[in-house]
């Protein structure tokens, strides 16, 4: 082991010796040869040895079933693994100690001294998470009971120029009562924008009612939209039932996947929109309507008009203001923030610390075209979150189609400096520095030495900056 590495271990151990000896958790530190460098008193006491007597001995000769030597060899952390010591089932964790890219030792901890203790803590955590989830659901339920809209414009993730421009347009059109058609591929977040439009409008205190035109059978669609009177048909509910149009009165009606609306229903919908009144199935008296209509589709309505599958007059009625949502491949610079958002969301749900993407994994994600857009990205992050055993998500945990980034893909395309956030000069400089380091890492294939050299800084300074920006 180099002398400077030995000195670092010695300094660290001496600095924290009093603290480590006072902890209930058991701690052992080994050097690069897997020899015990330090063991705290509680651990030594359990093993029936003196801390000074075992210093310098191979850890495998002192601790039963240890894997500390494997951690030193592989450099891979092992978290919360079972280990049997002196007849007791323990739960231990092991972490490599890395200095300037070199493994100089490892530290091991035993947090739960038997499985019963772990089960007690686990039950306690589950109870806390259940309590937290209850209050969050209650809050969501209370909020939803106000109007039915669950999302605001600030819930939409994206700092790219195209998303900023879209948010500006949404803010401009939301305040009026103009009919809006939201267009975009599947998974781009069309429903979120419909919610946001309602929340920003003067109708925010009134109902937000959504209907997926593709999910309701054609024979039920009329009664679902317009309601029905008692006795209107066999099986009709006593007293009748209000339709989605009646429920949305005063508020916003969101018709999702309107491109899938059957031709027979398009004429009836057009009539309702023109007359601003609706007559329920089996009814004789129309009900005046005061609603705002927002529609969405992933289908090319112009092509449907040419094929005769969509009415041209209805198209002009719903396409007063059009919002086109960009696919994820057209705003790649938002991918890191979106990925982190989904990982943090899973972290809050499970109580587990969110892992970070490695540079290779992020490079592949930035190069991938994401045909399923944000919904596909969320699914990929969820799978990687639950299959990762370390605090990082390597390329190997991503789907096979993401494994290889196109050779002509440039890092400068992935992380443009033009997408800097607003803030103080210091904040913007930090963001710029992080973007430059991340882009250079990608260009250098995650070669840390080459990256430091290209940036013109020493390796020690480079590793400090990696830690500072959470890129290590």
């Amino acid at each position: 082991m180099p002398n400077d590495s030995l000195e670092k271990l010695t300094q660290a151990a001496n600095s924290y010796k009093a603290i480590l000896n006072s902890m209930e958790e058991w701690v052992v530190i080994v050097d690069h040869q897997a020899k015990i460098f330090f063991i705290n008193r509680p651990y030594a006491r359990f093993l029936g040895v003196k801390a000074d007597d075992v210093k310098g001995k191979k850890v495998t000769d002192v601790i039963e079933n240890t894997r500390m030597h494997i951690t030193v060899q592989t450099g891979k952390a092992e978290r919360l693994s079972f280990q049997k010591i002196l007849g007791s089932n323990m739960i231990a964790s092991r972490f490599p100690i890395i200095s300037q890219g070199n493994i100089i030792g490892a530290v091991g901890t035993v947090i739960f001294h038997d499985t019963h203790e772990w089960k007690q803590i686990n039950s306690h955590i589950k109870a806390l998470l259940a309590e937290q989830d209850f209050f969050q659901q209650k809050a969501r339920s209370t909020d939803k009971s106000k109007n039915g809209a669950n999302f605001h414009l600030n819930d939409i993730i994206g700092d790219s120029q195209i998303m900023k421009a879209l948010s500006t347009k949404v803010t401009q059109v939301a305040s009026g009562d103009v009919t809006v058609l939201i267009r975009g591929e599947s998974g781009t977040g069309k429903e979120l924008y419909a919610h946001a439009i309602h929340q920003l409008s003067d109708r925010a205190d009134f109902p937000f009612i959504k209907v997926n035109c593709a999910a309701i059978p054609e024979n039920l669609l009329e009664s679902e939209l317009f309601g029905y009177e008692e006795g209107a048909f066999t099986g009709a509910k006593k007293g009748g039932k209000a339709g989605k149009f009646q429920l949305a009165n005063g508020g916003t009606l969101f018709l999702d996947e309107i491109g899938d609306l059957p031709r027979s229903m398009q004429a009836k919908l057009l009539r309702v929109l023109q007359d601003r009144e609706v007559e329920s199935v089996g009814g004789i008296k129309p009900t005046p309507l005061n609603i705002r209509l927002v529609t969405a589709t992933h289908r090319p309505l112009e092509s449907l008009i040419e094929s005769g599958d969509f009415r041209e007059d209805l198209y002009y009625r719903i396409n007063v203001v059009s919002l086109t949502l960009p696919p994820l491949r057209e705003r790649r610079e938002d991918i890191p923030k979106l990925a982190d958002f989904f990982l943090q969301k899973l972290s809050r749900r499970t109580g587990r610390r969110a892992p970070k993407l490695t540079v290779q994994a992020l490079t592949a994600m930035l190069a991938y075209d994401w045909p399923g857009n944000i919904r596909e990205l969320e699914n990929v992050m969820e799978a990687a979150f639950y299959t990762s055993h370390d605090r990082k998500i390597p390329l190997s945990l991503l789907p096979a189609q993401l494994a290889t980034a196109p050779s002509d893909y440039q890092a400068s395309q992935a992380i443009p400096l033009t997408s800097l956030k607003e803030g103080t000069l210091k904040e913007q400089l930090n963001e710029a520095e992080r973007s430059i380091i991340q882009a250079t890492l990608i260009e250098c294939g995650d070669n840390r030495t080459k990256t430091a050299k290209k940036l013109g800084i020493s390796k020690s300074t480079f590793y400090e900056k990696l830690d500072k920006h959470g890129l290590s």
Side-chain angles (χ1 to χ4, degrees):
M1 176 187 295
N3 289 332
D4 58 339
S5 298
L6 183 60
E7 288 177 10
K8 287 182 180 180
L9 267 181
T10 304
Q11 290 172 3
N14 288 337
S15 299
Y16 296 103
K17 192 172 183 179
I19 298 173
L20 296 174
N21 280 325
S22 64
M23 292 171 60
E24 290 186 7
E25 288 78 11
W26 302 341
V27 181
V28 61
I29 301 173
V30 301
D31 62 18
H32 72 296
Q33 294 179 327
K35 292 181 179 179
I36 294 177
F37 186 82
F38 171 83
I39 187 168
N40 70 343
R41 289 197 193 103
Y43 204 170
R45 194 179 302 121
F46 172 77
L47 295 171
V49 299
K50 291 184 178 180
D52 292 338
D53 291 346
V54 297
K55 186 175 180 180
K57 291 187 177 181
K58 289 184 177 181
V59 69
T60 52
D61 294 336
V62 178
I63 301 175
E64 184 181 4
N65 298 317
T66 184
R67 290 176 56 85
M68 292 289 290
H69 57 299
I70 296 175
T71 301
V72 171
Q73 291 170 4
T74 63
K76 292 183 179 179
E78 296 181 357
R79 291 178 178 81
L80 303 178
S81 61
F82 285 100
Q83 181 178 345
K84 195 165 188 175
I85 309 175
L86 302 181
S88 297
N89 290 313
M90 312 288 182
I91 296 181
S93 295
R94 308 165 192 92
F95 306 92
I97 303 173
I98 300 174
S99 176
Q100 296 184 356
N102 299 313
I103 301 171
I104 63 172
V107 58
T109 61
V110 178
I111 300 176
F112 303 111
H113 304 157
D114 56 55
T115 50
H116 176 68
E117 186 181 41
W118 170 73
K119 287 177 181 177
Q120 284 184 317
I121 296 293
N122 189 42
S123 297
H124 180 62
I125 292 172
K126 283 184 177 180
L128 289 175
L129 288 173
E131 184 179 3
Q132 181 188 40
D133 189 55
F134 169 77
F135 285 113
Q136 287 178 342
Q137 286 192 16
K138 187 176 180 181
R140 287 194 296 268
S141 177
T142 302
D143 188 52
K144 186 175 180 180
S145 65
K146 293 178 182 178
N147 60 16
N150 303 325
F151 303 102
H152 297 264
L153 191 60
N154 57 10
D155 290 320
I156 299 171
I157 308 298
D159 292 327
S160 57
Q161 292 300 320
I162 192 170
M163 293 300 288
K164 288 180 179 178
L166 186 59
S167 294
T168 300
K169 187 173 182 180
V170 168
T171 305
Q172 291 170 343
V173 304
S175 58
D177 256 359
V178 63
T179 300
V180 179
L181 171 62
I182 305 173
R183 313 183 74 156
E185 297 177 6
S186 294
T188 50
K190 295 186 289 295
E191 184 177 334
L192 268 66
Y193 277 94
H195 284 246
I197 289 170
H198 177 75
Q199 297 282 35
L200 290 170
S201 73
D202 293 336
R203 299 176 179 268
D205 293 330
F206 295 91
F208 174 83
I209 304 297
K210 58 183 180 180
V211 180
N212 188 326
C213 299
I216 303 174
E218 185 174 351
N219 61 326
L220 299 178
L221 193 56
E222 183 176 5
S223 60
E224 189 70 22
L225 288 177
F226 308 136
Y228 58 82
E229 299 293 327
E230 181 178 345
F233 50 83
T234 302
K237 185 179 178 181
K238 186 176 181 181
K241 180 183 176 183
K244 300 298 186 183
F245 274 90
Q246 291 94 328
L247 293 174
N249 215 4
T252 301
L253 178 66
F254 173 49
L255 297 180
D256 196 8
E257 302 299 352
I258 195 168
D260 293 302
L261 192 68
R263 178 86 183 190
S264 59
M265 282 300 302
Q266 293 175 24
K268 295 177 182 178
L269 174 59
L270 180 63
R271 178 69 180 269
V272 170
L273 297 179
Q274 288 174 339
D275 297 343
R276 288 288 169 176
E277 60 182 23
V278 60
E279 187 173 305
S280 57
V281 178
I284 57 174
K285 184 179 180 182
T287 302
L289 285 180
N290 174 24
I291 64 167
R292 181 188 198 162
L293 184 68
V294 178
T295 62
T297 184
H298 72 282
R299 304 186 68 185
L301 296 183
E302 294 80 5
S303 298
L304 295 178
I305 291 171
E306 289 181 8
S307 64
D309 293 317
F310 200 86
R311 293 180 62 108
E312 187 173 10
D313 46 4
L314 178 59
Y315 170 77
Y316 289 116
R317 176 67 64 174
I318 64 173
N319 189 30
V320 180
V321 171
S322 180
L323 296 175
T324 302
L325 307 192
L328 193 53
R329 62 184 173 274
E330 291 181 8
R331 56 181 188 109
R332 297 178 193 268
E333 58 265 49
D334 290 329
I335 290 174
K337 189 172 183 179
L338 282 163
D340 183 65
F341 170 79
F342 292 131
L343 292 173
Q344 294 298 335
K345 179 181 175 182
L346 290 164
S347 175
R348 290 191 297 271
R349 185 195 303 171
T350 62
R352 171 189 166 193
R353 185 177 297 182
K356 292 183 179 180
L357 289 157
T358 62
V359 173
Q360 295 97 326
L362 182 58
T363 302
M365 289 172 59
L366 290 167
Y368 183 56
D369 277 344
W370 299 102
N373 293 293
I374 301 170
R375 188 180 295 121
E376 183 183 7
L377 174 61
E378 182 175 13
N379 291 340
V380 168
M381 288 300 93
E382 185 169 3
F385 181 91
Y386 285 111
T387 54
S388 65
H389 300 295
D390 205 339
R391 289 180 185 170
K392 291 188 178 181
I393 297 175
L395 180 59
S396 59
L397 289 185
L398 300 183
Q401 63 267 29
L402 275 77
T404 307
S407 57
D408 60 346
Y409 189 75
Q410 300 297 319
S412 57
Q413 292 177 288
I415 311 168
L417 298 181
T418 54
S419 63
L420 293 179
K421 302 174 184 177
E422 296 180 0
T424 65
L425 177 61
K426 183 178 180 180
E427 289 170 342
Q428 292 194 55
L429 287 173
N430 280 333
E431 183 68 18
E433 183 178 74
R434 186 184 192 278
S435 296
I436 291 169
I437 291 173
Q438 194 172 22
T440 310
L441 270 169
I442 293 173
E443 289 177 359
C444 296
D446 201 28
N447 185 312
R448 307 297 170 97
T449 303
K450 186 177 178 181
T451 303
K453 186 176 180 180
K454 186 167 186 177
L455 292 171
I457 57 178
S458 67
K459 282 188 69 176
S460 59
T461 301
F462 177 67
Y463 278 99
E464 288 174 5
K465 291 186 180 295
L466 288 181
D467 291 335
K468 172 186 173 182
H469 295 297
L471 296 173
S472 56

